[in-house]
Amino acid sequence: MKASIKIGYGLFVILISCSFYSISQQLSNAYQDKSHFSKTFDSERNYRIYLPQEYGNDSKDYPVIYFFHGYGGRHDQDYNALLEYEMIGQLVDKYKVILVMWDGRIAEDLHRPYNIGCPEDVKFQIQMKDYFPELVTYIDSSYRTKTDREHRAIIGYSMGGFMSFFIAGKYPDMISAAVNMTGSPEFHVGYPDNNTLYSLRHTFENLKDVKTRLHNSSVGELSSQNREVHKGALWQGNVDYEYWEFPGGHKVDNKGETDVFEMAMNFVDRAFRKPKPIEKQWSHYDLYSDFDIWDYSVKSNKKSSGFTYLRNVSKDGFGFYTKKWLPIGPPLQGFNASIVTAPVYEPKAEYQIRHYMHESGQLKLMTKKADSDGRLSFELDGQGHEIGISKNEQQPRLVLVNPDLGNGKKMIRVGEENKMVLQLVNLGGELDESKKVSFKLKATDGSISTDKEAYTLSPNTNARMLSSEEVVLSCYKQAPTDGEPSKVKIVLSMSYDSLTFKEEFDMPVFFDVPQFKEIVIDDGKMVKDAVFGAGNRDGIVSPGEQVMIYTSGHRTKLFYDDPYIEVLKENQHTESLLAKWSCDGITSSSIIKIADNCPDNYEIKLLAKYETKDYMPITRRCFWGSINIKVKSIN
């Protein structure tokens, strides 16, 4: 016998409502929306946190993943990403991690997060690079987390994808893995009066100790520019990096799915289980005046755009440089910094310091005593320095200081035979004259060949400054049609006795390209929509003038090694050309200074590039040509 029950309409509605309420309660248990007081913001900051189900039933610690939202998003919403927030809780349970979603909005009425973008978008003194370690400290003190870098990672989408690689590159000593999901390729970062263009494709050196993954769409707004970022990773070489391109537009997942989000979490989980071994040497670009990394501290008087560069840092020494822009730029003028090393030396012990200064080409020998913590301190300017640190004349340390192409050349010519002599300095123990140094060169993109597979260098007794035999080099690199790095990155591998040394250096290329026509000079003369040059405004290049060069109405970026162009006084103008989104893919053009003593009727040969941009997908197109300008003295 079957029992039948009749339910009135009102009771039916109540039961259904209770049922939905119960389901809603279960789903909302996937995460909690909370806040904490931030010293960086001087206010409460929101965050969303996911805890695995067993978190309340055990006492173990969990790895942490931080998620960075995109434009218009918050900790609890990102409509463009189409995230299924309740379903993500199932992934948290599956991978047994804590997931924290931060709020990147700087001001309530401003949809652009993170205080980054074009120069005019950098509006606040507040810096997300200051908030991230504060948030990490709060989460680690409030929840049971694994606090080592090997169990901390970032996943970011769109503008948050840019931030995932930027923050991981800023703090590789805090982060072991980072996933960039269709992120923006480059932005100005910093303060309203002091911000710098940070291009992901030129900064993978910051990520060498981090496992990275880039998701790219096939037809999304940023698909073309993320291919530039991908090419930048390949150009850098020697990075632990994965790339995945999926069909479709600018998104994370399809609505109702978490498949792609799980790919990111799976990548991070694999990184947690098998962390990347930390390199013996590390290098780092930083755009801030003061920073700490791997327990080294840098404090400077930097007040303009540009980068500080710590190069090949190890217990045996380091290089220290500044650059106005990347990948190759002139040093910052009037720059001074204090560098304090990590506590890796014997407290109160004396160390021999060999200090090579690029500006003078001199090598200085001195002694320094480590402090009570085992740290050494240095006061350096921004003109380029190589520091060797040794105790009791330890093993040699060979450092490249100049790849000399002869006759003042700084650019490798395509279609010509290039002759290069490598100038090195030994910043460690003495070399044995009976033993030779052998070396070889190769480009990360395979674009060079040399006349011999390997070369030798015969050191003299007590010699500190060394020059190699001549290397005959040919370059086959083609001028890129997009924004991928146009320089050649060369890897120098050296061996001496049982020791090996490896160096990387970037060389600009003078491509074999036709000459541009329709050249117009801005020497203070209005050419298009603004004046950038400074001179007598007659549209003719003269000694002492600052000039911007146009071809067919386009501003150009210039590359050169002519002695009558003052490298230290070059400036660049950055702008975002019209496309579907503003400030995704930034174009730079050059303002160069002609030397006061440039002879009359002297001809300067320049390599030039101008860019255009497609509206959708946002595609950068680069056009290359040579420009010959004749310098005319002012009567």
Side-chain angles (χ1 to χ4, degrees):
M1 180 175 134
K2 296 181 181 179
S4 62
I5 301 176
K6 292 184 179 180
I7 301 176
Y9 177 76
L11 180 59
F12 177 78
V13 171
I14 292 172
L15 290 174
I16 293 295
S17 298
C18 289
S19 177
F20 276 122
Y21 177 76
S22 175
I23 293 171
S24 175
Q25 282 291 93
Q26 291 173 12
L27 290 176
S28 67
N29 287 336
Y31 58 79
Q32 303 170 56
D33 288 333
K34 294 194 171 186
S35 68
H36 74 106
F37 182 79
S38 164
K39 292 182 179 179
T40 302
F41 284 85
D42 193 27
S43 65
E44 287 289 312
R45 296 298 293 177
N46 299 314
Y47 67 94
R48 173 167 287 183
I49 188 165
Y50 291 77
L51 300 172
Q53 283 188 355
E54 62 262 41
Y55 181 87
N57 302 320
D58 61 29
S59 59
K60 69 180 182 180
D61 298 333
Y62 292 86
V64 186
I65 301 172
Y66 291 84
F67 178 77
F68 297 170
H69 61 78
Y71 179 89
R74 304 293 294 267
H75 66 293
D76 59 349
Q77 64 183 39
D78 194 334
Y79 299 119
N80 295 319
L82 301 177
L83 297 183
E84 297 291 345
Y85 289 100
E86 287 78 13
M87 294 173 66
I88 287 173
Q90 300 171 19
L91 300 179
V92 169
D93 292 334
K94 178 178 179 178
Y95 290 103
K96 295 179 174 53
V97 297
I98 294 173
L99 177 65
V100 178
M101 296 182 170
W102 75 351
D103 186 357
R105 185 170 293 195
I106 305 293
E108 282 297 321
D109 60 346
L110 191 65
H111 286 272
R112 174 175 283 275
Y114 307 130
N115 194 30
I116 57 177
C118 284
E120 62 270 19
D121 298 317
V122 182
K123 301 175 183 292
F124 305 96
Q125 293 297 116
I126 293 171
Q127 301 294 299
M128 296 305 289
K129 64 94 178 175
D130 296 327
Y131 178 57
F132 179 71
E134 180 187 18
L135 177 61
V136 167
T137 299
Y138 173 78
I139 295 297
D140 284 348
S141 65
S142 303
Y143 301 91
R144 296 197 315 274
T145 65
K146 293 185 176 181
T147 59
D148 57 294
R149 67 174 293 276
E150 285 75 19
H151 292 92
R152 187 182 297 120
I154 301 171
I155 299 172
Y157 164 69
S158 195
M159 286 184 71
F162 169 87
M163 287 297 290
S164 71
F165 277 8
F166 172 73
I167 291 293
K170 184 81 175 70
Y171 302 116
D173 48 351
M174 293 179 64
I175 298 296
S176 63
V179 182
N180 175 344
M181 306 172 91
T182 65
S184 302
E186 56 197 343
F187 280 131
H188 284 260
V189 182
Y191 304 98
D193 60 347
N194 178 8
N195 53 78
T196 298
L197 178 61
Y198 191 94
S199 299
L200 296 182
R201 64 189 185 278
H202 292 136
T203 51
F204 275 91
E205 193 162 7
N206 281 9
L207 293 164
K208 279 194 169 182
D209 286 304
V210 180
K211 289 193 172 188
T212 53
R213 179 177 169 93
L214 175 61
H215 288 188
N216 190 19
S217 62
S218 61
V219 294
E221 284 83 347
L222 300 177
S223 56
S224 176
Q225 300 204 347
N226 271 318
R227 292 183 195 110
E228 294 178 355
V229 176
H230 171 56
K231 292 173 185 176
L234 301 180
W235 173 77
Q236 175 60 55
N238 192 30
V239 289
D240 197 329
Y241 165 79
E242 293 181 8
Y243 175 79
W244 177 59
E245 187 165 313
F246 60 88
H250 187 69
K251 62 183 179 181
V252 174
D253 269 295
N254 293 324
K255 189 171 180 58
E257 298 178 359
T258 58
D259 295 347
V260 176
F261 202 94
E262 180 169 8
M263 286 184 185
M265 289 188 69
N266 180 269
F267 170 81
V268 169
D269 180 68
R270 286 185 280 119
F272 287 161
R273 295 174 186 274
K274 190 176 180 180
K276 184 181 188 302
I278 296 173
E279 300 282 346
K280 293 180 180 178
Q281 288 185 338
W282 55 268
S283 298
H284 180 72
Y285 287 107
D286 210 287
L287 55 87
Y288 291 96
S289 59
D290 302 345
F291 60 93
D292 297 310
I293 182 168
W294 294 115
D295 217 1
Y296 279 68
S297 173
V298 176
K299 298 185 183 302
S300 76
N301 65 345
K302 180 180 179 292
K303 298 186 184 303
S304 62
S305 65
F307 294 88
T308 302
Y309 180 37
L310 280 167
R311 174 181 178 272
N312 288 353
V313 182
S314 71
K315 186 177 180 180
D316 296 330
F318 60 92
F320 185 74
Y321 300 81
T322 60
K323 298 184 181 187
K324 276 189 178 182
W325 49 77
L326 298 182
I328 299 175
L332 300 176
Q333 301 303 295
F335 176 96
N336 292 286
S338 299
I339 298 95
V340 180
T341 72
V344 293
Y345 303 100
E346 182 183 334
K348 300 294 185 179
E350 283 196 345
Y351 286 83
Q352 289 187 333
I353 308 298
R354 290 186 171 87
H355 178 185
Y356 177 82
M357 296 163 282
H358 272 267
E359 188 174 32
S360 65
Q362 293 181 339
L363 180 64
K364 185 178 180 181
L365 177 64
M366 67 188 85
T367 59
K368 278 186 177 288
K369 182 180 287 188
D371 66 14
S372 57
D373 294 324
R375 300 178 185 268
L376 291 169
S377 299
F378 299 86
E379 301 291 325
L380 302 174
D381 63 24
Q383 300 305 305
H385 303 267
E386 291 288 349
I387 304 292
I389 303 170
S390 62
K391 187 179 180 186
N392 301 324
E393 288 292 341
Q394 295 176 348
Q395 64 189 26
R397 181 171 181 260
L398 298 180
V399 176
L400 176 70
V401 294
N402 182 30
D404 186 6
L405 292 168
N407 299 318
K409 290 182 179 180
K410 302 295 182 184
M411 302 179 70
I412 295 174
R413 266 67 178 176
V414 174
E416 298 181 16
E417 189 177 80
N418 302 271
K419 296 181 179 180
M420 177 185 289
V421 174
L422 302 180
Q423 297 175 345
L424 301 97
V425 61
N426 176 18
L427 298 177
E430 291 183 3
L431 294 165
D432 185 339
E433 64 178 329
S434 67
K435 298 176 181 177
K436 294 184 178 181
V437 178
S438 64
F439 66 92
K440 63 176 73 173
L441 300 173
K442 70 174 184 178
T444 55
D445 61 3
S447 64
I448 66 167
S449 65
T450 54
D451 61 326
K452 293 196 295 186
E453 183 177 347
Y455 302 84
T456 59
L457 182 149
S458 299
N460 296 319
T461 304
N462 298 323
R464 290 290 168 183
M465 302 301 301
L466 310 167
S467 294
S468 75
E469 64 176 301
E470 188 175 75
V471 176
V472 179
L473 181 150
S474 298
C475 182
Y476 310 101
K477 192 174 183 73
Q478 298 297 305
T481 57
D482 61 8
E484 71 171 285
S486 62
K487 313 297 186 286
V488 173
K489 185 174 287 293
I490 298 178
V491 179
L492 166 64
S493 302
M494 297 177 284
S495 61
Y496 168 79
D497 200 10
S498 60
L499 303 176
T500 58
F501 308 92
K502 185 168 283 188
E503 297 257 9
E504 295 177 359
F505 60 99
D506 299 337
M507 292 294 293
V509 179
F510 205 118
F511 297 110
D512 184 14
V513 289
Q515 194 167 333
F516 277 141
K517 308 296 183 184
E518 301 180 33
I519 303 302
V520 181
I521 305 298
D522 168 6
D523 59 346
K525 171 185 175 181
M526 174 71 75
V527 174
K528 192 175 182 180
D529 51 8
V531 173
F532 298 96
N536 66 356
R537 303 190 298 278
D538 65 357
I540 299 172
V541 179
S542 300
E545 290 188 328
Q546 290 179 302
V547 299
M548 176 180 279
I549 301 179
Y550 289 73
T551 179
S552 301
H554 300 281
R555 289 187 265 270
T556 62
K557 187 170 183 178
L558 303 173
F559 308 87
Y560 54 86
D561 50 17
D562 191 281
Y564 291 107
I565 300 177
E566 298 186 18
V567 176
L568 298 180
K569 294 185 179 179
E570 180 182 342
N571 289 305
Q572 290 194 353
H573 168 68
T574 60
E575 61 185 317
S576 182
L577 303 178
L578 180 65
K580 182 174 181 182
W581 292 342
S582 64
C583 210
D584 281 289
I586 295 173
T587 296
S588 299
S589 48
S590 304
I591 304 126
I592 58 173
K593 171 71 163 55
I594 308 301
D596 293 337
N597 63 341
C598 183
D600 190 24
N601 288 320
Y602 179 80
E603 188 171 75
I604 296 175
K605 186 172 184 180
L606 303 156
L607 176 69
K609 172 184 81 167
Y610 72 84
E611 296 183 359
T612 63
K613 194 187 286 183
D614 290 357
Y615 189 78
M616 171 64 187
I618 304 170
T619 303
R620 189 195 328 251
R621 300 193 184 278
C622 297
F623 301 86
W624 297 79
S626 63
I627 294 176
N628 294 344
I629 56 172
K630 189 163 285 190
V631 181
K632 294 284 189 179
S633 295
I634 301 173
N635 295 326

